[in-house]
Amino acid sequence: MKLRVAVLGGGSWGTTVAALVARNAPVTLWARDAATVEEINREHTNHKYLPGHRLPEGVRATHDPGEAVERADVIVMGVPSQGFRAALQQVRDDIRPWVPVVSLTKGLELSTGFRMTQIVQELLPGHPVGVLSGPNLAREIMAGYAAASVIAMEDEIIVAELQQLFRSGLFRVYTNHDVIGCELGGVLKKIMAIAVGMGDGQGAGENTRAALITRGLAEMTRLGVALGGQPATFAGLAGLGDLVATCTSPQSRNHHVGVELGKGRHIDEITAEMFMVAEGVKSAPAVIALAEQHDIEMPIARDVFEVVSGLAPASQAFRGLLRMAAGAESEPG
C-alpha cells in the first residue's frame, strides 16, 4: 500500500518535492493562491515558480490545507520560516496521530530563534520529525539534472522508509540522524551566500569567494556544534554541498540579494522586487542572537546582519573575513 503524502507550500521547492514524490506515492499539494491550485490541477504546471516545467499528473493541488493533510501518512512542510508556525497551527487538528513531519524550510523563526523542527515538536508532540536538506536548486532538479539530498530523522526505521519515498530517478537521497546539524547547515549557508554575493557585487575575485566560503563554513560548524550538531554533518551534503551551490549559483536568491547589496542598493529595494523569500535576510538576526547566546564568534555572519539591517554598507562587508584572517591564523585553514 502506497503512502499518501501532503506537501504544504506551492512555491518552487515545495512543488519540486511534490513532483519528485509523485513518482512513488500520491501527493496532495496545498497552495495559498487559488489560481496556482487551478493551474496545477488543469495544466499540470506552476508557471509562476517553475516556468517551462510540467508536473506529474499524480500531483493534485488544493486550496484547503485541512483537506491536504487529513488522510496523509507523511506531512511535508515547504512554507517560509516566518509563516511556518501559523501554517502548522492551521492544520494540526487535522493531522492523524504519529504521522511523520518533514521540513523543507531553511530558516529560523525570528521571534523565538527556533528551528522548524523545534516548532513541529512544540505543536505536534510525539510526531516523528525530520528535514530534507542539501544542494537542491529546484529548476535544475525539474530539468532532470542529477542531484543529491539528505533526509535526517532520529528514528532509523522511519528515515529508511522516507529515503525510498523521496528518492527518484537522478535525485539521490542519503540518510542522517543528525537533525540539528542538517537543519542548521541549510539555515546558515544562506547567510554566507549573501556575504559571497556582496563580494561578487563589488567585483571581488575567485580567491575572495573561496576564502569567504571556507571561513564561512568554519563559522557554520562552530555554531552548529555548539547547538548540538555533529561536525561531520557540516562537511557533507547538508553543509558544504549546500553552501557551495548557494554561494555560486545565479539561481540562488540569497546570493542575488548579496550581489545587489554589493552594488550599493538598499535591502528594502531589493526584497520589494522579489516574489520569493530570501531566508538568509529573515534569519540573520536570529542567527546572531544564537551566536551571542552561546558565545560563538561569527564575524562574517555579523557583517551580513549589519548590512541587511541597514547598520553598515556592503563596502565594509569584508571586515569579518579580515578580522578572522588577522586574529586566528592558528586555526586550521
Side-chain angles (χ1 to χ4, degrees), residues 259-313:
V259 169
E260 296 304 309
L261 287 168
K263 294 177 180 178
R265 299 180 66 195
H266 192 275
I267 186 63
D268 292 340
E269 179 187 2
I270 299 166
T271 55
E273 294 177 352
M274 301 173 65
F275 66 90
M276 289 190 282
V277 176
E279 288 280 8
V281 176
K282 302 286 187 180
S283 297
V287 167
I288 294 304
L290 286 172
E292 292 175 347
Q293 180 182 344
H294 293 271
D295 196 25
I296 302 297
E297 290 190 8
M298 299 187 72
I300 299 173
R302 181 170 292 280
D303 279 351
V304 171
F305 163 70
E306 290 180 353
V307 173
V308 300
S309 300
L311 302 176

Side-chain angles (χ1 to χ4, degrees), residues 180-196:
I180 295 174
C182 287
E183 194 165 20
L184 286 173
V187 172
L188 299 173
K189 59 98 182 193
K190 293 176 179 286
I191 294 174
M192 301 308 162
I194 295 175
V196 171

Side-chain angles (χ1 to χ4, degrees), residues 137-161:
L137 298 165
R139 294 186 183 183
E140 285 194 6
I141 292 171
M142 289 298 296
Y145 290 99
S149 194
V150 178
I151 180 73
M153 184 175 280
E154 293 181 0
D155 190 296
E156 295 183 5
I157 296 175
I158 297 176
V159 79
E161 290 293 324

Side-chain angles (χ1 to χ4, degrees), residues 71-87:
R71 299 178 63 238
D73 302 304
V74 179
I75 308 295
V76 181
M77 296 290 296
V79 299
S81 58
Q82 305 315 309
F84 192 99
R85 179 184 294 273

Side-chain angles (χ1 to χ4, degrees), residues 8 20 55 64 119 125 140 148 161 182 188 219 224 233 241 268 312 318:
L8 301 186
L20 289 169
L55 304 176
D64 181 349
I119 297 175
E140 285 194 6
E161 290 293 324
C182 287
L188 299 173
E219 291 189 16
T233 299
D268 292 340
F318 297 109

Side-chain angles (χ1 to χ4, degrees), residues 15-252:
T15 304
T16 298
V17 170
L20 289 169
V21 172
R23 301 174 186 176
N24 301 317
V27 178
T28 302
L29 174 66
W30 170 71
R32 295 183 185 276
D33 183 43
T36 297
V37 170
E38 182 180 357
E39 179 191 348
I40 291 172
N41 289 333
R42 186 183 68 250
E43 306 292 341
H44 305 294
T45 59
N46 186 346
H47 183 76
K48 180 178 180 180
Y49 292 100
L50 295 169
H53 297 291
R54 186 171 177 82
L55 304 176
E57 294 188 6
V59 176
R60 185 182 71 84
T62 178
H63 191 53
D64 181 349
E67 177 190 352
V69 305
E70 62 185 0
R71 299 178 63 238
D73 302 304
V74 179
I75 308 295
V76 181
M77 296 290 296
V79 299
S81 58
Q82 305 315 309
F84 192 99
R85 179 184 294 273
L88 194 58
Q89 285 175 326
Q90 189 175 359
V91 298
R92 64 176 174 176
D93 292 337
D94 298 307
I95 298 175
R96 295 181 295 118
W98 313 116
V99 169
V101 180
V102 177
S103 172
L104 308 178
T105 305
K106 299 175 179 179
L108 297 177
E109 187 175 47
L110 187 56
S111 60
T112 63
F114 279 7
R115 295 174 283 109
M116 300 302 103
T117 58
Q118 290 176 294
I119 297 175
V120 176
Q121 290 168 334
E122 177 188 327
L123 297 180
L124 295 174
H127 286 255
V129 60
V131 299
L132 182 71
S133 190
N136 303 143
L137 298 165
R139 294 186 183 183
E140 285 194 6
I141 292 171
M142 289 298 296
Y145 290 99
S149 194
V150 178
I151 180 73
M153 184 175 280
E154 293 181 0
D155 190 296
E156 295 183 5
I157 296 175
I158 297 176
V159 79
E161 290 293 324
L162 291 174
Q163 179 185 33
Q164 301 305 314
L165 180 67
F166 286 105
R167 69 190 307 175
S168 176
L170 295 177
F171 186 71
R172 187 167 184 175
V173 179
Y174 293 80
T175 61
N176 196 316
H177 303 303
D178 180 14
V179 175
I180 295 174
C182 287
E183 194 165 20
L184 286 173
V187 172
L188 299 173
K189 59 98 182 193
K190 293 176 179 286
I191 294 174
M192 301 308 162
I194 295 175
V196 171
M198 287 192 293
D200 291 343
Q202 295 177 80
E206 302 292 341
N207 291 334
T208 305
R209 180 187 296 137
L212 281 170
I213 291 174
T214 306
R215 296 313 303 168
L217 179 62
E219 291 189 16
M220 290 167 55
T221 305
R222 282 200 297 271
L223 181 61
V225 170
L227 294 173
Q230 300 299 312
T233 299
F234 295 90
L237 287 168
L240 177 60
D242 206 359
L243 177 66
V244 170
T246 308
C247 288
T248 60
S249 172
Q251 297 181 48
S252 166

